[in-house]
Amino acid sequence: MAFRGVGAALGRASQFSRIGDYLETANDEICLIVQIESRAGLAALDEIAALDGIDGLFIGPSDLAADMGHLGQPGHPEVTAAIKDAFDRIGKAGKARGIMTLSLDQAHMYREMGADFMAIGTDVTLLVSATTRLRDDFLSGWKERCQAGCRLLISGFR
């Protein structure tokens, strides 16, 4: 048997100690979400969703697309159809349906398909986007003042 640690002060789940009664209430609020990322996972989805204790099923569209032969194409029509079918089956099982996407358009589509929760974006893509915007904003004024031969390096971008 395993036990959950009580070092919650450093944990995201406790909002870094902002939830005063976290240790007393965490067990009642924990949910178990399993991830489906392959055709084999889709084939076993109904059996997985029927298991007691599973609260939700999360579809990994990029890995699913790769497993389906559509590497780098999580929006491929066959992948989208498989996700829609999975969401329908998860919903019939009375479980929460989740998914990950980097695209707002896909996020809206997944919500219309029945997604109950989503991860939209990642820490890395958001950081890259913010640093690129910062660099571009800075350079828009810098280039006008820069003489030939000026070089500037910001956050690893030239």
Side-chain angles (χ1 to χ4, degrees):
M1 175 182 281
F3 295 94
R4 182 171 41 87
V6 294
L10 301 176
R12 184 182 305 158
S14 71
Q15 294 183 7
F16 306 101
S17 287
R18 291 185 188 111
I19 300 174
D21 64 349
Y22 175 78
L23 293 175
E24 294 80 20
T25 61
N27 282 337
D28 295 331
E29 297 178 6
I30 288 177
C31 68
L32 176 61
I33 299 169
V34 297
Q35 192 158 333
I36 306 292
E37 297 186 310
S38 66
R39 290 169 290 172
L42 291 177
L45 188 144
D46 295 321
E47 293 81 15
I48 295 168
L51 294 171
D52 283 339
I54 291 181
D55 299 297
L57 289 86
F58 185 92
I59 307 296
S62 293
D63 288 333
L64 178 60
D67 186 68
M68 293 177 71
H70 304 295
L71 183 63
Q73 301 176 64
H76 189 281
E78 288 180 17
V79 178
T80 301
I83 292 168
K84 172 70 171 119
D85 178 65
F87 278 3
D88 290 345
R89 293 160 55 201
I90 296 166
K92 285 179 186 168
K95 306 292 172 106
R97 301 160 287 201
I99 197 153
M100 166 34 175
T101 184
L102 300 177
S103 161
L104 282 178
D105 289 338
Q106 280 184 331
H108 292 296
M109 178 188 67
Y110 293 145
R111 183 66 189 114
E112 289 173 13
M113 290 169 58
D116 299 301
F117 64 98
M118 279 184 264
I120 305 172
T122 66
D123 53 352
V124 173
T125 58
L126 294 171
L127 180 61
V128 168
S129 175
T131 57
T132 299
R133 190 170 43 256
L134 177 65
R135 179 205 59 206
D136 292 348
D137 288 350
F138 179 81
L139 290 178
S140 68
W142 178 264
K143 287 178 183 178
E144 296 167 2
R145 293 186 295 274
C146 186
Q147 302 285 332
C150 265
R151 283 187 65 162
L152 182 64
L153 181 65
I154 300 175
S155 298
F157 297 104
R158 292 181 185 257

